[in-house]
């Protein structure tokens, strides 16, 4: 694969701009195919997939089998958020299942370069995430080597938690560090009341679980959140 094709595959789809990314965790698991189709038809280019191991976080969600089942049903870019120990060990299974980008947590990666290399070897894009208590300095040495940085705005493990505004100073700092082809994602408690502050701080990618899939109309909710983010960023598509 040529280097330019590789880059195209590992990055969010061209033209994603400010991007509200529905999180499958809050969807109705008995109607997953319909839930995914609804946000895809609305125009969402990316789907967020939360993987939990009951160890790094105190909850369990789903694994590569579910992602593989959804893969033939959707053309969306699959943004997989690994909240698990040993991300390098499991990355190949998630890439094989159809993940386009795989994010690991710096808190479980004593050798982050090795994790990045393991994910890159699968052909997927690479993201790194920091918990609310983890400082930007923890990823300073590797930030140039990733496609995406994910700032957690709740403690990972559960949907429906309250947004933690104190993490926005980390978003502001990262905005000044990341290059134009790197995504700055925020995850947790993003809704109509919080998305503007996240956009003003410099986030370009907004994970939204409860506020999309638990809304009466998930398509209308996704569109409204996208509008609010664009408005807050001054209509400038980054
Ligand atoms: C939390 C997950 C989130 C979760 C967000 O550990 O990483 O992606 O789905 O859910 P909401 O949007 O409900 O806070
Ligand atoms: Zn997530």
């Amino acid at each position: 694969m040529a280097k330019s094709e590789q880059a195209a595959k590992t990055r969010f789809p061209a033209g994603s701009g400010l991007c509200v990314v529905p999180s499958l965790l809050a969807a109705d698991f008995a109607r997953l195919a319909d839930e995914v189709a609804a946000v895809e038809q609305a125009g969402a280019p990316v789907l967020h997939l939360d993987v939990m191991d009951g160890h790094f976080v105190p909850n369990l969600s789903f694994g590569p089998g579910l992602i593989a089942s959804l893969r033939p049903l959707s053309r969306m870019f699959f943004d997989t958020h690994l909240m698990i120990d040993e991300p390098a060990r499991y990355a190949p299974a998630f890439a094989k299942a159809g993940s386009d980008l795989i994010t690991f947590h710096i808190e479980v990666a004593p050798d982050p370069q090795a994790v990045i290399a393991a994910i890159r070897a699968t052909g997927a894009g690479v993201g790194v995430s920091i918990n609310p208590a983890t400082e930007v300095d923890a990823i300073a040495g590797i930030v140039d080597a990733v496609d995406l940085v994910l700032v957690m705005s709740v403690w990972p493990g559960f949907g429906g938690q309250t947004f933690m505004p104190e993490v926005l100073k980390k978003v502001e700092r990262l905005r000044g560090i990341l290059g134009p082809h790197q995504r700055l994602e925020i995850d947790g408690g993003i809704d109509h009341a919080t998305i503007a502050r996240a956009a003003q701080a410099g986030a370009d990618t907004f994970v939204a679980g409860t506020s999309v899939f638990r809304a009466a109309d998930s398509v209308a909710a996704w569109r409204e959140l996208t509008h609010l983010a664009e408005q807050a960023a001054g209509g400038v598509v980054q």
Side-chain angles (χ1 to χ4, degrees):
M1 189 182 289
K3 202 172 177 189
S4 57
E5 286 175 70
Q6 176 77 16
K9 184 174 182 286
T10 58
R11 290 181 189 147
F12 275 33
S16 297
L18 290 181
C19 189
V20 176
V21 179
S23 170
L24 196 72
L25 192 65
D28 179 350
F29 280 21
R31 302 177 45 253
L32 276 187
D34 290 346
E35 295 268 69
V36 170
V39 291
E40 182 162 16
Q41 282 163 22
V46 180
L47 184 68
H48 188 79
L49 298 155
D50 286 304
V51 177
M52 304 179 184
D53 66 354
H55 193 243
F56 172 59
V57 292
N59 196 9
L60 294 155
S61 57
F62 49 78
L66 183 137
I67 296 172
S69 294
L70 288 176
R71 187 65 285 178
L73 307 181
S74 173
R75 295 176 62 100
M76 278 190 284
F77 186 91
F78 279 4
D79 167 34
T80 297
H81 177 192
L82 295 184
M83 287 163 275
I84 65 173
D85 284 341
E86 298 190 79
R89 177 177 174 191
Y90 293 101
F94 285 98
K96 191 167 176 223
S99 299
D100 295 297
L101 181 143
I102 296 173
T103 295
F104 70 98
H105 269 263
I106 195 69
E107 297 85 5
V108 297
D111 183 357
Q113 297 283 9
V115 180
I116 292 168
I119 299 173
R120 288 264 176 241
T122 70
V126 180
V128 66
S129 182
I130 53 174
N131 273 344
T134 303
E135 294 301 332
V136 171
D137 289 342
I139 57 168
I142 54 149
V143 80
D144 288 347
V146 300
D147 302 300
L148 173 148
V149 175
L150 169 54
V151 175
M152 289 306 303
S153 41
V154 298
W155 282 95
F158 299 91
Q161 301 183 76
T162 302
F163 182 75
M164 299 170 69
E166 58 269 34
V167 308
L168 291 175
K169 57 185 182 301
K170 296 193 287 185
V171 174
E172 286 169 5
R173 185 166 167 213
L174 282 160
R175 182 74 278 159
I177 293 172
L178 296 181
H181 298 298
Q182 292 175 299
R183 306 291 306 198
L184 180 45
E185 185 172 51
I186 189 161
D187 183 5
I190 294 293
D191 61 18
H192 69 282
T194 58
I195 196 165
R197 275 190 289 170
Q200 284 158 0
D204 53 44
T205 306
F206 310 87
V207 177
T210 303
S211 63
V212 169
F213 283 119
R214 300 285 166 99
D217 180 342
S218 60
V219 167
W222 179 82
R223 290 197 177 123
E224 173 70 2
L225 288 167
T226 301
H227 172 70
L228 290 170
E230 287 173 350
Q231 204 176 39
V236 178
V237 175
Q238 297 170 15

